[in-house]
Amino acid sequence: RKVVLGAGASIRAYSVEWFDGRAGRRRSEATVGQYQQRFDLYVLPHLGSWKLADLYAPDVEDWLEVLSDQGLSKSTIQGALNALKAMLSDACRQGHLPVNEARAAELPRSLVTKTVEPPTSEQVGKLFAAVIESKDQELLNLLTVVALTGCRIGEALALRWSDVDFDGSVAGIARTVTTDVDGKTIIGLRTKAGDSRVVVLSPDAVAALLSQKDLVAGMRSKSSVWTTEDLVFPTAIGTVRDPRNVRTRLRPITAKIGYKGSFHSLRHYATVSALEASVPMAQISKALGHKRIATTLDVYGHLTENMGQKFATAVNLA
């Protein structure tokens, strides 16, 4: 019979049992794989010998400070904390701990959210002109969808034709491209934030998708080993694309024109365009797939402040 460890167990021992069983009950294989990697790299080297019952929020914060002093990014440190939170949450659920102390821990103040500097309309125009010149129609279609919907590149690559409603000019964003424990590119069962959403398709976005539909039909007719996954942006044999390969495909074009961003910069461009059009923050947050408006404000709040300054300068009684 399997031994069930309790609060007196070390974090290392408890994590072994957790990954062997409960970790994967409510989480995808890819998520568990990411948690395992974060434990191996960041949690266990520092907290592995601690007993679950002896770990309190200040101890977790001290650990986070150590990771920060090592020069790790905010996203990496947040990911390590999320992995620890997940295990302690299950420990609480099993009755081994009264409180998840990691939830009360705060990230170091030195970890300031990086200010987003979205590309200008001129820069985006130059990018699209360069892609058109390259005659890579599929890449142009993909860039258009990302720029006009604000979706993430992984979400665009996971899009299926069944998600697209041409009559209603909307598309459902319900999943993203991820990797399994072996590093293989797969389509996950959810988006990055976990929730599905519907995005409105502008006429240009609809046109790009119709163009892509024709391209996929041509690809399928030429392939003798087509894999039917109903993907909008598949490989030459119908399988899911690796985002890294798509980024590599775009890189020579951006390097040639001195464009510093990539696909994600177009998500920022879509956001600032919506802000400049006075779209309510709640609608923007929903379109981006953020769970909370606070997340959107954390990333883009400084842009609204800049717009407020422009408004104050433009409006006068002279």
Side-chain angles (χ1 to χ4, degrees):
R1 182 180 178 183
K2 184 177 179 180
V3 177
V4 178
L5 300 178
S10 69
I11 289 178
R12 183 181 304 277
Y14 195 91
S15 70
V16 170
E17 187 171 285
W18 182 64
F19 280 114
D20 188 45
R22 189 166 292 274
R25 292 189 184 182
R26 298 180 298 110
R27 303 171 182 89
S28 69
E29 184 181 5
T31 297
V32 175
Q34 291 172 354
Y35 284 170
Q36 180 74 72
Q37 185 180 47
R38 291 165 184 170
F39 260 78
D40 292 342
L41 293 175
Y42 310 119
V43 179
L44 298 181
H46 302 283
L47 300 177
S49 61
W50 283 67
K51 291 183 179 179
L52 261 67
D54 293 339
L55 189 70
Y56 291 93
D59 304 314
V60 176
E61 291 175 347
D62 289 344
W63 162 61
L64 297 175
E65 288 284 0
V66 171
L67 296 183
S68 178
D69 291 342
Q70 291 178 351
L72 299 177
S73 68
K74 179 180 179 179
S75 61
T76 297
I77 295 175
Q78 182 67 67
L81 177 59
N82 289 345
L84 180 62
K85 284 181 181 178
M87 187 186 77
L88 296 184
S89 289
D90 281 351
C92 291
R93 190 175 291 106
Q94 288 183 282
H96 298 155
L97 291 175
V99 178
N100 185 343
E101 292 287 339
R103 287 192 178 279
E106 297 181 356
L107 292 175
R109 291 184 178 180
S110 58
L111 296 176
V112 180
T113 301
K114 187 177 180 181
T115 300
V116 169
E117 293 298 337
T120 64
S121 297
E122 181 181 359
Q123 290 170 330
V124 172
K126 190 175 181 180
L127 171 65
F128 273 78
V131 176
I132 292 172
E133 185 180 354
S134 74
K135 297 182 179 180
D136 190 334
Q137 186 63 45
E138 183 177 46
L139 185 59
L140 178 62
N141 293 338
L142 179 57
L143 286 167
T144 300
V145 170
V146 171
L148 296 181
T149 65
C151 70
R152 302 174 179 88
I153 179 61
E155 294 170 341
L157 294 179
L159 193 66
R160 292 191 170 103
W161 291 115
S162 58
D163 299 320
V164 181
D165 178 1
F166 285 106
D167 293 332
S169 295
V170 294
I173 306 296
R175 63 196 74 83
T176 190
V177 171
T178 184
T179 55
D180 61 17
V181 292
D182 297 320
K184 180 183 176 182
T185 302
I186 61 172
I187 296 178
L189 299 177
R190 40 183 263 168
T191 63
K192 181 178 180 181
D195 297 328
S196 60
R197 65 190 188 277
V198 174
V199 294
V200 177
L201 301 173
S202 69
D204 286 340
V206 170
L209 288 170
L210 288 173
S211 170
Q212 183 63 19
K213 198 172 186 66
D214 290 338
L215 283 178
V216 173
M219 292 163 57
R220 184 168 185 170
S221 66
K222 296 176 183 177
S223 176
S224 59
V225 289
W226 187 265
T227 300
T228 305
E229 294 191 27
D230 195 38
L231 294 171
V232 175
F233 296 101
T235 65
I237 59 172
T239 55
V240 60
R241 287 189 182 278
D242 187 328
R244 292 169 295 185
N245 294 339
V246 181
R247 292 188 183 99
T248 299
R249 185 168 159 187
L250 178 64
R251 199 165 295 132
I253 299 175
T254 57
K256 182 178 179 180
I257 63 174
Y259 184 85
K260 296 182 180 179
S262 184
F263 288 96
H264 204 70
S265 69
L266 296 178
R267 177 173 163 86
H268 297 324
Y269 173 75
T271 303
V272 74
S273 297
L275 287 170
E276 290 177 342
S278 300
V279 176
M281 184 62 76
Q283 291 184 19
I284 294 174
S285 182
K286 186 176 181 180
L288 292 176
H290 290 162
K291 280 189 172 182
R292 300 177 301 143
I293 295 179
T295 302
T296 313
L297 286 170
D298 186 38
V299 179
Y300 300 104
H302 68 288
L303 297 178
T304 62
E305 293 173 3
N306 294 340
M307 290 172 191
Q309 292 172 356
K310 290 180 181 179
F311 178 84
T313 303
V315 178
N316 56 71
L317 301 177

Short mmCIF file of all heavy atoms in Angstrom, two decimals, residues 163-194:
data_model
loop_
_atom_site.label_atom_id
_atom_site.label_comp_id
_atom_site.label_asym_id
_atom_site.label_seq_id
_atom_site.Cartn_x
_atom_site.Cartn_y
_atom_site.Cartn_z
N ASP A 163 -13.86 26.65 -34.82
CA ASP A 163 -13.94 27.77 -33.88
C ASP A 163 -14.36 29.07 -34.57
O ASP A 163 -14.71 30.04 -33.89
CB ASP A 163 -12.57 28.02 -33.22
CG ASP A 163 -12.07 26.83 -32.43
OD1 ASP A 163 -12.91 26.20 -31.76
OD2 ASP A 163 -10.86 26.55 -32.47
N VAL A 164 -14.29 29.07 -35.91
CA VAL A 164 -14.52 30.30 -36.66
C VAL A 164 -15.94 30.33 -37.22
O VAL A 164 -16.38 29.40 -37.89
CB VAL A 164 -13.52 30.43 -37.83
CG1 VAL A 164 -13.75 31.73 -38.60
CG2 VAL A 164 -12.09 30.37 -37.30
N ASP A 165 -16.63 31.42 -36.92
CA ASP A 165 -17.99 31.64 -37.44
C ASP A 165 -17.92 32.80 -38.43
O ASP A 165 -17.95 33.97 -38.05
CB ASP A 165 -18.94 31.97 -36.29
CG ASP A 165 -20.37 32.27 -36.76
OD1 ASP A 165 -20.63 32.20 -37.98
OD2 ASP A 165 -21.22 32.58 -35.90
N PHE A 166 -17.81 32.46 -39.71
CA PHE A 166 -17.69 33.50 -40.73
C PHE A 166 -18.97 34.34 -40.85
O PHE A 166 -18.91 35.54 -41.08
CB PHE A 166 -17.34 32.88 -42.09
CG PHE A 166 -15.91 32.43 -42.20
CD1 PHE A 166 -15.58 31.09 -42.17
CD2 PHE A 166 -14.90 33.36 -42.35
CE1 PHE A 166 -14.26 30.67 -42.26
CE2 PHE A 166 -13.57 32.96 -42.45
CZ PHE A 166 -13.25 31.62 -42.42
N ASP A 167 -20.12 33.71 -40.69
CA ASP A 167 -21.39 34.44 -40.79
C ASP A 167 -21.52 35.47 -39.67
O ASP A 167 -21.99 36.59 -39.88
CB ASP A 167 -22.57 33.47 -40.75
CG ASP A 167 -22.63 32.58 -41.98
OD1 ASP A 167 -22.16 33.03 -43.04
OD2 ASP A 167 -23.14 31.45 -41.87
N GLY A 168 -21.10 35.09 -38.48
CA GLY A 168 -21.19 36.01 -37.34
C GLY A 168 -19.96 36.88 -37.15
O GLY A 168 -19.94 37.74 -36.27
N SER A 169 -18.91 36.61 -37.93
CA SER A 169 -17.64 37.36 -37.84
C SER A 169 -17.06 37.30 -36.42
O SER A 169 -16.63 38.31 -35.85
CB SER A 169 -17.84 38.82 -38.27
OG SER A 169 -18.17 38.89 -39.64
N VAL A 170 -17.03 36.10 -35.86
CA VAL A 170 -16.44 35.90 -34.54
C VAL A 170 -15.63 34.60 -34.56
O VAL A 170 -15.83 33.74 -35.42
CB VAL A 170 -17.49 35.82 -33.42
CG1 VAL A 170 -18.22 37.14 -33.25
CG2 VAL A 170 -18.48 34.69 -33.67
N ALA A 171 -14.73 34.48 -33.59
CA ALA A 171 -13.94 33.26 -33.44
C ALA A 171 -13.82 32.94 -31.95
O ALA A 171 -13.68 33.84 -31.12
CB ALA A 171 -12.56 33.41 -34.05
N GLY A 172 -13.87 31.66 -31.64
CA GLY A 172 -13.72 31.23 -30.25
C GLY A 172 -12.28 30.86 -29.96
O GLY A 172 -11.67 30.07 -30.69
N ILE A 173 -11.71 31.48 -28.94
CA ILE A 173 -10.35 31.16 -28.51
C ILE A 173 -10.48 30.26 -27.29
O ILE A 173 -10.85 30.72 -26.21
CB ILE A 173 -9.56 32.44 -28.15
CG1 ILE A 173 -9.59 33.44 -29.30
CG2 ILE A 173 -8.12 32.08 -27.77
CD1 ILE A 173 -8.92 32.97 -30.56
N ALA A 174 -10.19 28.98 -27.47
CA ALA A 174 -10.47 28.02 -26.40
C ALA A 174 -9.26 27.21 -25.95
O ALA A 174 -9.33 26.49 -24.97
CB ALA A 174 -11.57 27.06 -26.86
N ARG A 175 -8.15 27.33 -26.67
CA ARG A 175 -6.99 26.51 -26.33
C ARG A 175 -5.71 27.18 -26.85
O ARG A 175 -5.78 28.16 -27.58
CB ARG A 175 -7.14 25.11 -26.94
CG ARG A 175 -7.19 25.10 -28.45
CD ARG A 175 -7.72 23.80 -29.02
NE ARG A 175 -9.17 23.70 -28.82
CZ ARG A 175 -10.04 24.28 -29.65
NH1 ARG A 175 -9.63 24.99 -30.69
NH2 ARG A 175 -11.33 24.15 -29.45
N THR A 176 -4.57 26.64 -26.47
CA THR A 176 -3.30 27.17 -26.94
C THR A 176 -2.34 26.03 -27.23
O THR A 176 -2.55 24.90 -26.77
CB THR A 176 -2.69 28.13 -25.90
OG1 THR A 176 -1.58 28.82 -26.47
CG2 THR A 176 -2.22 27.37 -24.66
N VAL A 177 -1.31 26.34 -27.98
CA VAL A 177 -0.27 25.35 -28.26
C VAL A 177 0.68 25.30 -27.07
O VAL A 177 1.05 26.33 -26.51
CB VAL A 177 0.50 25.73 -29.54
CG1 VAL A 177 1.73 24.84 -29.71
CG2 VAL A 177 -0.40 25.60 -30.76
N THR A 178 1.04 24.10 -26.67
CA THR A 178 1.95 23.93 -25.54
C THR A 178 2.85 22.74 -25.83
O THR A 178 2.91 22.26 -26.97
CB THR A 178 1.14 23.72 -24.24
OG1 THR A 178 2.03 23.65 -23.13
CG2 THR A 178 0.30 22.46 -24.31
N THR A 179 3.56 22.26 -24.82
CA THR A 179 4.42 21.08 -24.99
C THR A 179 4.09 20.07 -23.91
O THR A 179 3.66 20.43 -22.81
CB THR A 179 5.91 21.45 -24.89
OG1 THR A 179 6.16 22.14 -23.65
CG2 THR A 179 6.33 22.34 -26.05
N ASP A 180 4.30 18.79 -24.23
CA ASP A 180 4.08 17.75 -23.23
C ASP A 180 5.37 17.53 -22.44
O ASP A 180 6.35 18.27 -22.61
CB ASP A 180 3.58 16.46 -23.88
CG ASP A 180 4.57 15.87 -24.88
OD1 ASP A 180 5.77 16.25 -24.85
OD2 ASP A 180 4.16 15.01 -25.68
N VAL A 181 5.38 16.54 -21.57
CA VAL A 181 6.54 16.32 -20.71
C VAL A 181 7.79 15.94 -21.49
O VAL A 181 8.91 16.09 -21.01
CB VAL A 181 6.24 15.22 -19.67
CG1 VAL A 181 5.20 15.70 -18.67
CG2 VAL A 181 5.78 13.94 -20.35
N ASP A 182 7.61 15.47 -22.72
CA ASP A 182 8.75 15.09 -23.56
C ASP A 182 9.19 16.23 -24.48
O ASP A 182 10.10 16.05 -25.29
CB ASP A 182 8.38 13.87 -24.41
CG ASP A 182 8.08 12.64 -23.56
OD1 ASP A 182 8.80 12.43 -22.56
OD2 ASP A 182 7.13 11.91 -23.88
N GLY A 183 8.53 17.39 -24.35
CA GLY A 183 8.91 18.53 -25.17
C GLY A 183 8.24 18.56 -26.53
O GLY A 183 8.56 19.41 -27.36
N LYS A 184 7.30 17.64 -26.77
CA LYS A 184 6.61 17.60 -28.06
C LYS A 184 5.51 18.67 -28.10
O LYS A 184 4.80 18.89 -27.12
CB LYS A 184 5.98 16.22 -28.26
CG LYS A 184 5.23 16.07 -29.57
CD LYS A 184 4.57 14.69 -29.66
CE LYS A 184 3.74 14.57 -30.93
NZ LYS A 184 3.06 13.25 -31.02
N THR A 185 5.40 19.34 -29.25
CA THR A 185 4.38 20.37 -29.42
C THR A 185 3.00 19.73 -29.53
O THR A 185 2.78 18.86 -30.37
CB THR A 185 4.66 21.21 -30.68
OG1 THR A 185 5.96 21.79 -30.58
CG2 THR A 185 3.63 22.33 -30.83
N ILE A 186 2.09 20.18 -28.68
CA ILE A 186 0.73 19.65 -28.69
C ILE A 186 -0.26 20.80 -28.52
O ILE A 186 0.12 21.93 -28.23
CB ILE A 186 0.50 18.63 -27.53
CG1 ILE A 186 0.73 19.32 -26.18
CG2 ILE A 186 1.40 17.42 -27.69
CD1 ILE A 186 0.35 18.47 -24.98
N ILE A 187 -1.54 20.50 -28.70
CA ILE A 187 -2.59 21.49 -28.46
C ILE A 187 -3.16 21.23 -27.07
O ILE A 187 -3.64 20.13 -26.79
CB ILE A 187 -3.70 21.41 -29.51
CG1 ILE A 187 -3.13 21.76 -30.89
CG2 ILE A 187 -4.84 22.35 -29.17
CD1 ILE A 187 -4.13 21.66 -32.01
N GLY A 188 -3.09 22.21 -26.21
CA GLY A 188 -3.60 22.06 -24.86
C GLY A 188 -5.12 22.11 -24.84
O GLY A 188 -5.77 22.43 -25.83
N LEU A 189 -5.67 21.83 -23.68
CA LEU A 189 -7.12 21.80 -23.53
C LEU A 189 -7.68 23.14 -23.07
O LEU A 189 -8.89 23.29 -22.91
CB LEU A 189 -7.52 20.71 -22.52
CG LEU A 189 -7.11 19.29 -22.89
CD1 LEU A 189 -7.50 18.32 -21.78
CD2 LEU A 189 -7.74 18.87 -24.21
N ARG A 190 -6.82 24.14 -22.90
CA ARG A 190 -7.26 25.44 -22.43
C ARG A 190 -6.30 26.52 -22.88
O ARG A 190 -5.23 26.22 -23.41
CB ARG A 190 -7.38 25.45 -20.90
CG ARG A 190 -6.27 24.71 -20.20
CD ARG A 190 -6.46 24.67 -18.71
NE ARG A 190 -5.68 25.74 -18.08
CZ ARG A 190 -5.81 26.10 -16.81
NH1 ARG A 190 -6.71 25.52 -16.06
NH2 ARG A 190 -5.06 27.04 -16.30
N THR A 191 -6.69 27.77 -22.68
CA THR A 191 -5.82 28.89 -23.01
C THR A 191 -4.83 29.10 -21.88
O THR A 191 -4.87 28.44 -20.85
CB THR A 191 -6.63 30.18 -23.21
OG1 THR A 191 -7.28 30.51 -21.97
CG2 THR A 191 -7.68 30.00 -24.29
N LYS A 192 -3.93 30.07 -22.04
CA LYS A 192 -2.94 30.36 -21.00
C LYS A 192 -3.61 30.74 -19.69
O LYS A 192 -3.20 30.31 -18.62
CB LYS A 192 -2.02 31.49 -21.47
CG LYS A 192 -0.92 31.84 -20.47
CD LYS A 192 -0.01 32.93 -21.01
CE LYS A 192 1.06 33.27 -19.99
NZ LYS A 192 1.96 34.34 -20.48
N ALA A 193 -4.67 31.57 -19.78
CA ALA A 193 -5.36 32.00 -18.56
C ALA A 193 -6.38 30.97 -18.09
O ALA A 193 -6.89 31.06 -16.98
CB ALA A 193 -6.06 33.34 -18.82
N GLY A 194 -6.69 30.00 -18.94
CA GLY A 194 -7.60 28.94 -18.54
C GLY A 194 -9.02 29.07 -19.04
O GLY A 194 -9.76 28.10 -19.09
#
